[in-house]
Amino acid sequence: MLLESAASVFAERGYERTTIGEILTRAGVTKGALYFHFASKEELALGVLEAQMLDVPLTPQDVKIQELVDQAYLLTHRLQRDALVRASVALALDSGASEVNRAAPFRAWIDQVSEILTVAKARGELLLHVDVTDTAEFFSGAFSGIQAMSQILCERDDLAHRVAVLLQYVLPSICTPVLLNRVDMSEDRARRLGREYDANRLRREGGGLAEVYS
Amino acid sequence: MLLESAASVFAERGYERTTIGEILTRAGVTKGALYFHFASKEELALGVLEAQMLDVPLTPQDVKIQELVDQAYLLTHRLQRDALVRASVALALDSGASEVNRAAPFRAWIDQVSEILTVAKARGELLLHVDVTDTAEFFSGAFSGIQAMSQILCERDDLAHRVAVLLQYVLPSICTPVLLNRVDMSEDRARRLGREYDANRLRREGGGLAEVYS
């Protein structure tokens, strides 16, 4: 709750204009309670970046590269809904947040994509010349720019479409043609993944509340 | 000179932490001289964004899509050298710069790419299914994210390589195979364009100085 409040303030104001006072007001906690967990604004920002990175609820797929598609669409959905994810991406791109280590979230995203590509390559899903590191960095960088542009132009309303375009342009250059036919990169899949994610999240949060009140 | 000083401060500090005072010190001008041209920090930021957009020194090419490649490599070179260009891109992505219209530079970049793609399509250089607007937006968004990541990870040292990867992944999905063989997207071309740009710039600035002192 504290991190979510911090995230929503970071996402709205940018790092530099965010004040501890505004986070306290939004979270409804005292200064003492906050400083018990986080010694500074920088630590709050790192907390937001870490909380987001731990949570990647990806269902394993027979075609590994489908997981790359699903991850991109899930991130799209969460960028449209979840203040923690939104703030994490905003902080990583925020040139005012120079005291925060902004390379860390980029490296974490690149690592997640690299893991998927490494397995996909071992299974023969990728064209032989594909360099895993170059591709993972390209995909992470391109996605981050596309979501930033979508946010600036239309508050991310069209992000699923823009991600579909990214996938349609890039997957034919990295996957074997046979495999490409077995990958579903439609915006329909994006919508279905979004609905599943929301349902799971409600169940998880419902479960959490039941534990608290039992 | 004033805009270049403003640009270098914006690029280093981000919009929010930039002060008029620091720009005055760096430019070596008085407050009166600055306010004669720019009424506020916001107007200075808009001036930086506009100055950068006017200046695209692109040599026409027989293969139109070669101009897309050349534009990407020239922007790469200028991002590595030119404070005005660096500040312009940083301001467009700076979530702290909420009082500045950050959609304008994105639309200008998209328009530049769209113009090239529209001509390329009319000349039969593109695959039939290619949507010019989707592609121009994809290319602009992906480029902006890739350069931001390169800046954060290594101060843009590897940007030419990352742009080469972008081109290698995307051009086969938009160009006809015959045309693709006629496009030079090598990092060698990037280096040559960079050298030519520097030489032309020296000549222009030399000419400018000669005029001033004649």
Side-chain angles (χ1 to χ4, degrees):
Chain A
M1 192 55 208
L2 179 55
L3 278 180
E4 273 162 30
S5 303
S8 68
V9 182
F10 281 132
E12 282 165 34
R13 303 240 181 275
Y15 181 78
E16 190 58 27
R17 286 202 289 188
T18 293
T19 62
I20 296 275
E22 191 164 359
I23 294 173
L24 292 176
T25 308
R26 197 160 309 185
V29 303
T30 63
K31 211 175 229 182
L34 186 145
Y35 283 118
F36 184 76
H37 296 288
F38 301 98
S40 64
K41 184 165 83 168
E42 183 190 352
E43 283 195 9
L44 271 165
L46 290 174
V48 167
L49 288 171
E50 280 167 18
Q52 184 272 321
M53 286 190 282
L54 293 174
D55 179 21
V56 187
L58 212 56
T59 311
Q61 302 291 324
D62 289 343
V63 172
K64 191 68 185 177
I65 216 71
Q66 184 69 57
E67 293 180 22
L68 185 73
V69 173
D70 291 357
Q71 189 188 54
Y73 278 140
L74 270 176
L75 186 52
T76 296
H77 181 74
R78 296 168 75 208
L79 278 165
Q80 289 169 328
R81 308 287 170 100
D82 184 335
L84 261 179
V85 179
R86 210 152 40 215
S88 174
V89 172
L91 282 169
L93 285 171
D94 185 345
S95 52
S98 51
E99 65 198 58
V100 179
N101 176 6
R102 296 185 297 141
F106 271 107
R107 289 197 203 287
W109 293 326
I110 293 166
D111 283 351
Q112 285 177 358
V113 177
S114 286
E115 277 175 33
I116 294 174
L117 290 175
T118 302
V119 175
K121 185 147 198 185
R123 289 191 192 165
E125 296 182 4
L126 304 189
L127 297 169
L128 285 177
H129 68 271
V130 169
D131 179 291
V132 165
T133 304
D134 271 356
T135 309
E137 292 181 351
F138 164 76
F139 199 79
S140 307
F143 187 97
S144 72
I146 284 165
Q147 69 77 32
M149 187 175 70
S150 173
Q151 187 219 337
I152 289 164
L153 294 180
C154 62
E155 297 288 340
R156 295 201 184 91
D157 262 357
D158 65 0
L159 186 55
H161 175 66
R162 289 179 189 280
V163 171
V165 172
L166 165 69
L167 294 167
Q168 282 156 17
Y169 279 158
V170 175
L171 290 196
S173 298
I174 67 170
C175 298
T176 63
V178 171
L179 188 97
L180 202 57
N181 286 325
R182 296 177 57 202
V183 177
D184 180 0
M185 45 179 139
S186 67
E187 289 177 59
D188 263 353
R189 187 173 181 93
R191 282 185 283 273
R192 199 169 71 240
L193 287 168
R195 284 196 298 273
E196 285 172 15
Y197 176 83
D198 289 343
N200 281 332
R201 188 174 169 155
L202 265 177
R203 206 157 38 232
R204 275 206 311 271
E205 285 175 3
L209 283 177
E211 275 166 37
V212 169
Y213 290 111
S214 67
Chain B
M1 190 55 209
L2 179 56
L3 278 180
E4 272 163 31
S5 303
S8 67
V9 182
F10 282 132
E12 283 165 32
R13 302 240 181 273
Y15 181 78
E16 191 58 27
R17 285 202 290 189
T18 292
T19 62
I20 296 275
E22 191 165 358
I23 294 174
L24 293 176
T25 307
R26 197 160 310 184
V29 302
T30 64
K31 212 175 228 179
L34 186 145
Y35 283 117
F36 184 76
H37 297 287
F38 301 98
S40 64
K41 184 166 84 168
E42 183 190 352
E43 283 197 8
L44 271 166
L46 290 173
V48 167
L49 288 171
E50 280 167 18
Q52 184 271 322
M53 287 189 281
L54 292 174
D55 179 22
V56 187
L58 210 56
T59 311
Q61 302 290 324
D62 290 342
V63 173
K64 192 68 186 177
I65 217 69
Q66 184 71 55
E67 293 179 22
L68 185 73
V69 172
D70 291 357
Q71 190 187 53
Y73 279 139
L74 271 176
L75 186 51
T76 297
H77 181 73
R78 296 168 74 209
L79 278 165
Q80 290 169 327
R81 307 289 168 97
D82 185 336
L84 262 179
V85 180
R86 210 153 36 217
S88 174
V89 172
L91 281 169
L93 286 171
D94 185 344
S95 51
S98 51
E99 67 200 55
V100 179
N101 176 7
R102 297 186 296 140
F106 272 106
R107 291 198 203 285
W109 294 325
I110 293 165
D111 283 351
Q112 286 177 359
V113 176
S114 286
E115 277 176 34
I116 294 175
L117 290 176
T118 301
V119 175
K121 185 149 198 185
R123 290 191 192 165
E125 297 182 2
L126 305 188
L127 296 169
L128 286 177
H129 69 271
V130 169
D131 180 288
V132 165
T133 304
D134 271 357
T135 309
E137 292 181 353
F138 163 76
F139 199 79
S140 307
F143 187 98
S144 73
I146 285 166
Q147 68 79 30
M149 186 174 71
S150 173
Q151 187 218 338
I152 290 164
L153 294 181
C154 63
E155 299 287 340
R156 294 200 184 91
D157 262 358
D158 64 1
L159 185 55
H161 175 66
R162 289 181 190 280
V163 172
V165 172
L166 164 70
L167 295 166
Q168 283 156 19
Y169 279 157
V170 175
L171 291 195
S173 298
I174 67 170
C175 298
T176 63
V178 170
L179 189 97
L180 203 58
N181 286 324
R182 296 176 57 203
V183 176
D184 180 1
M185 46 180 138
S186 66
E187 290 177 60
D188 262 353
R189 186 173 181 92
R191 280 185 284 273
R192 198 170 71 239
L193 288 167
R195 282 194 301 271
E196 284 171 16
Y197 176 83
D198 289 343
N200 281 332
R201 187 174 171 157
L202 263 178
R203 202 153 44 229
R204 276 206 311 270
E205 284 176 4
L209 283 177
E211 275 166 38
V212 170
Y213 290 111
S214 67

